[in-house]
Amino acid sequence: MRNNCWSKPEEGNLQSAEQQQQQQQLPQLATDMGNDEGGGGGSRGLAGQDPEKDDPVNLKRRVGLVSGVALIVGTMIGSGIFVSPTSLLIRTGSVGMSFVVWTGCGLLSLCGALAYAELGTMNTSSGAEYAYFMDAFGAWPAFLFSWVSTLVLKPSQMAIICLSFAQYAVEAFAAECTPPSEVVKLVALLTIVLILLVNCYSVNLATGVQNAFTAGKLIAILVIVAGGSYKLVQGNTQHLHNAFDSFEDKTGGENAVKRQIFNVGRLATAFYTGLWAYDGWNNLNYVTEEIKDPSKNLPRSIMIGIPLVTLCYALINVSYLAVMSPLEMIESEAVAVSFGNRILGVMAWLMPLSVAVSTFGSANGTLFAAGRLCFAASREGHLMDCLSYVHVRRFTPAPGLIFHSLVASTMVLSGSIDSLIDFFSFTAWIFYGGAMLALLVMRRTRPNHPRPYRCPLVIPVLVLLISIYLIVAPIIDKPQIEYLYAAGFIAAGMLFYLPFVKYGYVPKFMEGVNAFLQMLLEVAPTAAAMD
């Protein structure tokens, strides 16, 4: 029995008999509409196969190994590697230490993802951390995660990526001047709408777009690596010598980098910068219900995707340093664009366009995963019921996708990129550490539970300790009000959990809202997908 948050609990259900009958008829409506000649769900079209007769409405398993790898790689490689090297160099103070951080971020992401692979094969429900917190800790920690992720983490991630896409897309056509912020925000909003339409139309189309854009960004990375290799062959290796020596900007200015000593707090914020470029390593766990044979394809996708991303990042950084000095990288607002201007000549416009392709694919994968989190939390009664409904013909979680897009659009209009990244990383690693703790708890409380994949115990312990460091060290080194905001927002979730979830209070108007949205969007309640 679901504990409904925004609609009446079953014992107090005030729905009319007519509304209940309409809800019961929607799965059959899905079959009837899908079987209509010329209907939107063609048997072999982008919308996927038609529903079988008497088949319950649920998410279908359409994500295979290739699409799983593309979702991981395509979401992780966004704008970070094309922009983050600048901030990471500033925060580490040396080329060698920046490589240590890039590699460490890759290893940390791989370790975290392997732990998530065990969790995802234990519980094949969509929702990632939400589902694992429910299993290990119960309802209120899971609610707090869904509260923060649905309203802040996933929408802010989407907003950052779309703003980055818009910046590079507009810059490709306005190379001689700085694009107006209004134009950038308008393009970002149109991007969100386009990605929303793709994801609402079908899972097949969304994964096809993800595969295509992942291939495109890998080609762009190949261009960078080839250009850097050419310069290395010519002997441009001077910037890689004495890599661990600190460098100093003799010119001064706001980007000046003074000689630094080792600092644990600064190192943690450097990891924030690198981990932003790696973020997305857990996105496949949000769509577990749609993975074909998840016990095999989930860990395989992780073991292929994350090392591939780490290798790409290492080669890209070497290529940058073969063309530019560390100080030139710091002075560049977009390292990849400056690299293209040095290497590609008249074809330099291809580089901002390639970055735009990369960020578009990352935004598509982010929304694909975010909609599933909203779907999973709503199905458990922790958000509005209508957000757990699935389109009766296309089997996409359309309400959850629309909700996330609306919140992300609001952030695009009101926010900026730089102010969100540290806040995002600080808050995200609170929950990543919580997922490691959940795995350790379930090793003790559910020792005999089937585990198709079992990661070494040292991995979740190590990731948990590192997550604690990433949370505590920046606060000790340089307390910022943003960290207090993050903690306060998490705690504020309890003010909504107690009345709406624990005690089941539901505003009367939500009954009509759910019914209206159900008919307007052609969506229906789901049955959980089973193996």
Side-chain angles (χ1 to χ4, degrees):
M1 180 72 64
R2 286 194 304 119
N3 178 21
N4 291 329
C5 175
W6 300 109
S7 67
K8 290 292 183 183
E10 185 170 331
E11 62 269 20
N13 201 329
L14 299 180
Q15 280 186 314
S16 67
E18 181 180 358
Q19 289 171 333
Q20 291 176 351
Q21 183 179 7
Q22 289 174 343
Q23 195 173 74
Q24 291 167 359
Q25 289 174 345
L26 274 168
Q28 182 60 41
L29 174 63
T31 303
D32 295 341
M33 297 173 79
N35 289 334
D36 283 345
E37 185 176 354
S43 60
R44 286 181 293 181
L46 287 173
Q49 295 180 346
D50 290 327
E52 300 291 338
K53 185 174 178 61
D54 299 325
D55 189 23
V57 177
N58 54 32
L59 299 177
K60 305 298 181 184
R61 295 198 182 276
R62 297 174 178 171
V63 179
L65 178 62
V66 173
S67 294
V69 173
L71 181 62
I72 292 174
V73 174
T75 307
M76 290 177 70
I77 303 177
S79 63
I81 187 57
F82 304 107
V83 180
S84 293
T86 296
S87 298
L88 203 149
L89 275 172
I90 292 174
R91 290 179 172 182
T92 56
S94 73
V95 169
M97 186 56 67
S98 71
F99 273 98
V100 169
V101 173
W102 278 116
T103 305
C105 289
L107 292 174
L108 179 59
S109 299
L110 179 60
C111 289
L114 291 175
Y116 271 58
E118 177 176 330
L119 292 166
T121 54
M122 283 181 63
N123 184 339
T124 58
S125 298
S126 294
E129 293 94 342
Y130 177 82
Y132 314 146
F133 288 1
M134 283 289 291
D135 285 346
F137 309 128
W140 70 265
F143 172 82
L144 290 182
F145 171 76
S146 65
W147 159 262
V148 175
S149 293
T150 302
L151 295 179
V152 176
L153 288 183
K154 291 299 180 183
S156 67
Q157 186 181 22
M158 181 79 174
I160 292 168
I161 295 171
C162 287
L163 282 169
S164 299
F165 166 81
Q167 184 73 41
Y168 282 101
V170 173
E171 188 170 313
F173 300 97
E176 300 299 325
C177 60
T178 301
S181 61
E182 294 80 5
V183 175
V184 171
K185 290 186 176 183
L186 177 60
V187 173
L189 291 175
L190 293 175
T191 304
I192 291 175
V193 172
L194 178 58
I195 293 173
L196 173 63
L197 293 175
V198 167
N199 280 267
C200 285
Y201 183 78
S202 81
V203 173
N204 285 359
L205 179 58
T207 55
V209 168
Q210 192 67 25
N211 295 348
F213 277 82
T214 298
K217 70 180 66 182
L218 290 177
I219 292 173
I221 289 172
L222 183 61
V223 170
I224 294 176
V225 172
S229 300
Y230 176 73
K231 286 294 185 180
L232 288 175
V233 169
Q234 289 183 328
N236 292 344
T237 61
Q238 64 273 21
H239 303 313
L240 298 174
H241 297 160
N242 303 318
F244 286 91
D245 289 348
S246 296
F247 51 83
E248 183 176 3
D249 186 355
K250 301 296 184 181
T251 64
E254 61 180 11
N255 289 328
V257 179
K258 303 303 180 184
R259 298 188 182 275
Q260 300 166 357
I261 59 173
F262 177 79
N263 183 293
V264 293
R266 183 179 294 275
L267 183 62
T269 56
F271 265 89
Y272 280 175
T273 303
L275 288 169
W276 165 251
Y278 279 95
D279 199 77
W281 52 264
N282 62 329
N283 270 358
L284 195 58
N285 288 69
Y286 285 97
V287 301
T288 315
E289 288 183 32
E290 296 166 85
I291 300 175
K292 301 173 183 176
D293 196 3
S295 63
K296 294 181 180 179
N297 285 332
L298 178 59
R300 286 176 181 173
S301 298
I302 288 168
M303 292 175 187
I304 295 172
I306 297 178
L308 177 60
V309 172
T310 305
L311 177 63
C312 288
Y313 284 3
L315 293 176
I316 289 174
N317 275 283
V318 172
S319 298
Y320 287 156
L321 290 167
V323 176
M324 294 179 285
S325 70
L327 298 180
E328 288 173 329
M329 290 176 63
I330 289 173
E331 292 171 354
S332 173
E333 294 184 1
V335 180
V337 175
S338 299
F339 178 94
N341 291 335
R342 298 278 184 92
I343 293 292
L344 299 179
V346 295
M347 302 298 289
W349 59 270
L350 284 174
M351 195 50 61
L353 193 59
S354 297
V355 179
V357 167
S358 178
T359 50
F360 186 90
S362 183
N364 180 73
T366 298
L367 183 61
F368 189 91
R372 275 65 184 176
L373 168 62
C374 195
F375 161 83
S378 303
R379 190 172 57 186
E380 292 295 330
H382 287 183
L383 296 171
M384 293 185 295
D385 264 9
C386 63
L387 296 181
S388 70
Y389 296 167
V390 170
H391 196 279
V392 296
R393 285 178 288 129
R394 307 193 183 282
F395 304 109
T396 57
L401 295 168
I402 293 171
F403 178 79
H404 269 287
S405 299
L406 289 174
V407 179
S409 298
T410 302
M411 291 184 172
V412 164
L413 292 173
S414 59
S416 63
I417 296 175
D418 295 337
S419 63
L420 292 173
I421 291 180
D422 282 355
F423 172 82
F424 173 89
S425 298
F426 173 80
T427 310
W429 276 95
I430 293 175
F431 294 114
Y432 294 157
M436 299 303 109
L437 184 61
L439 188 152
L440 297 174
V441 167
M442 287 191 285
R443 282 282 185 96
R444 194 172 186 84
T445 59
R446 302 185 181 188
N448 299 320
H449 193 283
R451 288 174 170 83
Y453 171 81
R454 189 182 184 97
C455 74
L457 186 62
V458 66
I459 288 180
V461 173
L462 177 64
V463 177
L464 175 60
L465 293 176
I466 293 175
S467 67
I468 293 173
Y469 162 73
L470 291 174
I471 295 166
V472 174
I475 297 176
I476 295 176
D477 177 59
K478 185 179 179 182
Q480 297 184 55
I481 192 66
E482 287 81 2
Y483 301 143
L484 182 61
Y485 289 158
F489 190 83
I490 295 172
M494 291 302 296
L495 299 178
F496 287 82
Y497 172 79
L498 291 174
F500 295 119
V501 178
K502 185 175 179 60
Y503 296 110
Y505 171 74
V506 183
K508 293 182 179 180
F509 67 86
M510 288 308 303
E511 176 189 347
V513 170
N514 281 331
F516 172 75
L517 292 176
Q518 190 172 344
M519 301 307 295
L520 175 67
L521 301 176
E522 294 184 349
V523 293
T526 68
M530 305 299 291
D531 288 325

